[in-house]
Amino acid sequence: MEIKKTDFLVIGSGIAGLWFAYRTSQQGKVLILTKKKDTDANTNYAQGGIAAVMDKEDDVKYHIDDTLKTGDGICHKDAVEYMVKNGPQLVEELYRIGIDFTVEEERLSLTKEGGHSHRRIVHSADRTGAAIEEGLLNVVRSNKNVEIDENSYVVDFIVNATTPYNQDIVGVLTYDREKESFFIIQAKIVFLATGGLSYIFEHTTNPPIATGDGVAMAFRAGVRLANLEFVQFHPTSLYKFLVNGRSFLISEAVRGEGGKLRTIDGYRFMPDYHPQAELATRDIVARAIFNELKKRNDEYVLLDLSDIPSEDIKKKFPLIYKTVLSFGIDITKSMIPVVPAAHYSVGGVLTDLTGKTSMTHLYAAGEVSCTGVHGANRLASNSLLEALVFSDAASKNVDIEQISLRPLPSKINFPEEIIYISDNTYIEIYIKKLRWIMWYYAGIVRDGETLKKGINEMEKLKKEIYALYPEEVFHVRLKELRNMLTVGTLILKAALAREESRGLQYRKDFMQKSDSFKKDTIIERREHEIYIH
Ligand code: FAD
Ligand code: SIN
């Protein structure tokens, strides 16, 4: 099998991977692997913006306070302070290298979102993520030290272990979808930037790439994970109509600019739930919608934009305006039918402030990681910021001169033993089933009984899948399905273990917060068992 060698191996071409590649290209050769096209990343779909203190009226202490308050008692304060303090200069740098942020009166325009006490969301109209993705791709594509391999699906880490608890990543096994063959990539440093996992839920704003591969492969290799139970459900995605396989997001910035939520018969319900009404944090708004739908047996609520002038709607939200119009709804005249959808994974691979994981030479940043910044809940637009700040920190903390390539282990699960399948009809059926299980058993409102049922359902599904497709059968979509099984089971088990309601985790059987759970949930694989502590 062909072996490629590089200094820095970056898995993922979203904001975290691209920023790390841009920075480390000054130190050595960088190879970026990405499983589809280079633009296929959650980053490309971000709408609202990136949070940073840029206004005279604002202060880092307010952004820190808002983040800590939203995180509901378990944020890592040092990580929050690091992110908020380092954010503004990096956001300015993004602007300087050509990211097309919206400017008004010669200053970066700032919008507002739920949970923020001040206007601090830097944005590019309502397509901030696409502007960042395009801009960063332009920068790295023209860099001689960076190579991007599209359609390169990373299957697993290659690890050298002196003991089960002292492991060193020396490379990865990857499958090239165009050449239909496997490769080994040997690297001095591996940077994991595989993004989110919310596609494992039936209703989601995430594109189909968000299958949690990074979390699953890290778990298989024994890397420490944290807080997977905290999945953020965005309150407002477009009801019923899908765009490229995902629910289309109606940005929180729409509520920030004056959008109001109403039941189908016109009642504005959010003031009944929270003094900040539509601008309460997402968990509160999503649960309020869930409650109204259940109470009234409705299928959606309405987002009323009549307080926002038509011209502002078209200028500030051109993507939302055009997309919703393509389904026959003119949002300058009619209300938008919306429902909550799985949106963001707060938990992931546990890292320190420099992106270091529990495995030697493996770094992680972005949505796949858990820096502790978000605690039990993420403040809107803090995720692009987190990805930027901690991929930057990681790039500053590796000195490639001091690191050499290490030998590959003598035994790797070589693909010669693998049988390929071409028909994936059943795989798609299983994926559908799995996503349904996650939505109904690990959704916005949870309880112990339902979570246990979900775990049993996943166990049954796993048995069926392995009976039909034994371990040696390979197909990218099958690997994604197996990863989704792993990640889904971990979410269910972590949610069951946390016997309290905190932040994004809402348990009907434990409605209060409990001091004994005022900590991270640590998830590890030892001797083929899952340890949650
Ligand atoms: P991604 O951008 O998701 O990139 C992951 C990369 O990893 C992709 O290139 C993918 O192909 C690759 N990959 C995954 N698995 C493999 C594998 N096995 N092999 C090879 N490659 C792999 N956050 C904000 O802060 N503000 C917002 O306004 C905002 N709006 C959002 C709107 C939407 C609709 C969505 C879905 C998310 C939004 N978010 C927002 C969240 C934010 O976009 C993400 O958290 C962030 O972009 C994640 O960046 P990332 O670099 O970690 O991962
Ligand atoms: C949005 O625009 O509502 C998404 C913002 C985010 O996920 O932070």
Side-chain angles (χ1 to χ4, degrees):
M1 194 181 329
E2 195 179 322
I3 301 176
K4 267 191 176 181
K5 295 180 188 200
T6 186
D7 294 322
F8 298 97
L9 173 65
V10 176
I11 316 177
S13 59
I15 183 171
L18 294 177
W19 189 261
F20 182 82
Y22 162 61
R23 284 293 207 227
T24 49
S25 62
Q26 290 147 16
Q27 280 195 55
K29 290 276 175 209
V30 185
L31 174 62
I32 303 176
L33 302 180
T34 188
K35 68 176 171 178
K36 285 200 164 170
K37 287 210 301 282
D38 54 10
T39 48
D40 275 320
N42 271 7
T43 300
N44 205 23
Y45 300 98
Q47 290 186 357
I50 179 163
V53 173
M54 310 296 270
D55 188 70
K56 282 203 303 293
E57 306 287 301
D58 199 1
D59 193 285
V60 288
K61 72 171 184 282
Y62 302 134
H63 191 181
I64 291 170
D65 283 352
D66 293 344
T67 305
L68 293 175
K69 203 164 140 208
T70 306
D72 211 1
I74 59 166
C75 293
H76 298 190
K77 197 161 180 245
D78 55 349
V80 174
E81 287 173 353
Y82 184 85
M83 176 183 80
V84 170
K85 286 180 185 159
N86 286 282
Q89 82 208 43
L90 287 170
V91 170
E92 269 174 25
E93 199 173 340
L94 276 181
Y95 182 59
R96 274 204 307 277
I97 63 169
I99 309 301
D100 180 27
F101 290 133
T102 303
V103 172
E104 275 169 350
E105 292 167 10
E106 295 177 24
R107 288 164 168 225
L108 290 177
S109 161
L110 301 173
T111 186
K112 198 161 188 248
E113 290 182 329
H116 287 276
S117 56
H118 287 74
R119 282 194 169 257
R120 63 170 75 101
I121 316 296
V122 177
H123 60 103
S124 179
D126 59 352
R127 53 180 299 282
T128 310
I132 292 176
E133 186 72 27
E134 277 160 28
L136 289 180
L137 276 170
N138 284 340
V139 169
V140 300
R141 278 189 196 126
S142 58
N143 185 320
K144 282 201 305 294
N145 264 356
V146 182
E147 186 188 339
I148 306 183
D149 273 3
E150 294 181 309
N151 291 309
S152 245
Y153 182 82
V154 177
V155 181
D156 259 316
F157 297 161
I158 300 176
V159 171
N160 255 334
T162 43
T163 72
Y165 310 110
N166 183 10
Q167 307 212 63
D168 179 18
I169 187 161
V170 292
V172 301
L173 178 66
T174 179
Y175 179 75
D176 187 315
R177 300 165 101 138
E178 280 161 6
K179 298 193 178 110
E180 298 190 348
S181 54
F182 287 87
F183 290 87
I184 285 173
I185 318 280
Q186 203 179 355
K188 294 181 181 171
I189 290 286
V190 176
F191 185 71
L192 188 66
T194 46
L197 52 79
S198 293
Y199 189 75
I200 72 170
F201 290 85
E202 186 179 23
H203 302 288
T204 180
T205 61
N206 286 201
I209 52 127
T211 50
D213 296 345
V215 167
M217 61 183 109
F219 176 72
R220 276 195 294 280
V223 180
R224 197 166 300 140
L225 312 176
N227 295 351
L228 285 175
E229 65 274 33
F230 297 120
V231 175
Q232 183 165 68
F233 293 85
H234 197 291
T236 56
S237 72
L238 182 62
Y239 169 67
K240 208 155 123 185
F241 303 109
L242 296 185
V243 177
N244 297 331
R246 64 191 183 96
S247 303
F248 180 72
L249 184 75
I250 308 296
S251 175
E252 186 150 329
V254 173
R255 279 174 282 127
E257 296 297 324
K260 306 284 184 301
L261 284 163
R262 301 187 186 280
T263 55
I264 291 178
D265 56 8
Y267 179 66
R268 184 176 170 217
F269 55 91
M270 272 318 297
D272 300 345
Y273 288 88
H274 198 271
Q276 283 173 287
E278 283 81 3
L279 285 180
T281 52
R282 276 177 201 173
D283 55 318
I284 293 165
V285 183
R287 272 199 299 277
I289 297 176
F290 179 88
N291 195 38
E292 289 297 319
L293 297 182
K294 204 144 192 200
K295 199 166 78 187
R296 306 163 57 91
N297 211 13
D298 285 344
E299 289 194 0
Y300 57 86
V301 294
L302 293 164
L303 185 58
D304 176 3
L305 276 58
S306 56
D307 286 347
I308 316 176
S310 297
E311 283 323 300
D312 279 5
I313 293 177
K314 289 185 195 164
K315 190 171 139 218
K316 292 185 174 166
F317 307 111
L319 175 72
I320 296 174
Y321 171 72
K322 274 193 213 134
T323 308
V324 181
L325 190 62
S326 73
F327 295 110
I329 304 166
D330 180 345
I331 64 172
T332 62
K333 299 193 177 94
S334 309
M335 294 193 261
I336 315 175
V338 290
V339 282
H343 181 64
Y344 180 83
S345 171
V346 158
V349 175
L350 191 63
T351 71
D352 69 6
L353 298 194
T354 66
K356 265 194 193 133
T357 70
S358 65
M359 180 173 278
T360 310
H361 297 119
L362 176 70
Y363 289 74
E367 194 167 335
V368 71
S369 70
C370 179
T371 60
V373 152
H374 308 304
N377 191 5
R378 174 177 69 98
L379 185 64
S381 287
N382 262 357
S383 54
L384 290 173
L385 183 69
E386 183 201 32
L388 178 70
V389 169
F390 291 101
S391 55
D392 190 76
S395 73
K396 285 186 187 138
N397 277 280
V398 282
D399 181 0
I400 212 71
E401 298 284 305
Q402 306 297 319
I403 306 168
S404 50
L405 287 172
R406 281 94 53 215
L408 295 165
S410 50
K411 180 158 171 28
I412 300 170
N413 180 19
F414 277 107
E416 281 96 301
E417 298 157 18
I418 283 175
I419 305 159
Y420 299 85
I421 45 159
S422 51
D423 179 9
N424 65 352
T425 317
Y426 286 108
I427 299 173
E428 291 305 330
I429 293 171
Y430 284 126
I431 287 178
K432 224 172 168 166
K433 204 161 167 185
L434 183 146
R435 298 179 71 209
W436 184 90
I437 294 173
M438 289 307 291
W439 182 256
Y440 285 95
Y441 295 100
I444 298 174
V445 173
R446 301 167 171 172
D447 68 63
E449 278 315 299
T450 330
L451 289 166
K452 280 183 204 152
K453 275 190 198 146
I455 293 167
N456 285 339
E457 289 297 315
M458 291 291 264
E459 205 44 53
K460 277 199 267 172
L461 193 65
K462 188 173 170 186
K463 282 196 182 123
E464 263 184 62
I465 293 168
Y466 277 83
L468 192 60
Y469 303 114
E471 193 71 56
E472 61 275 14
V473 177
F474 184 83
H475 187 284
V476 168
R477 208 57 182 141
L478 178 61
K479 189 72 192 177
E480 285 180 333
L481 170 61
R482 287 178 182 148
N483 286 340
M484 290 162 90
L485 272 173
T486 304
V487 172
T489 305
L490 294 179
I491 291 174
L492 285 155
K493 291 197 170 174
L496 183 65
R498 183 175 284 279
E499 295 185 331
E500 65 160 356
S501 290
R502 180 188 298 275
L504 297 165
Q505 152 108 334
Y506 185 78
R507 293 254 321 232
K508 275 194 302 191
D509 49 349
F510 294 99
M511 297 203 4
Q512 303 305 321
K513 267 198 287 262
S514 151
D515 274 351
S516 51
F517 287 102
K518 200 173 176 205
K519 56 179 185 159
D520 291 334
T521 304
I522 302 296
I523 305 161
E524 287 171 291
R525 181 181 195 233
R526 288 198 205 145
E527 319 284 338
H528 300 280
E529 293 288 330
I530 300 175
Y531 272 76
I532 296 186
H533 52 100

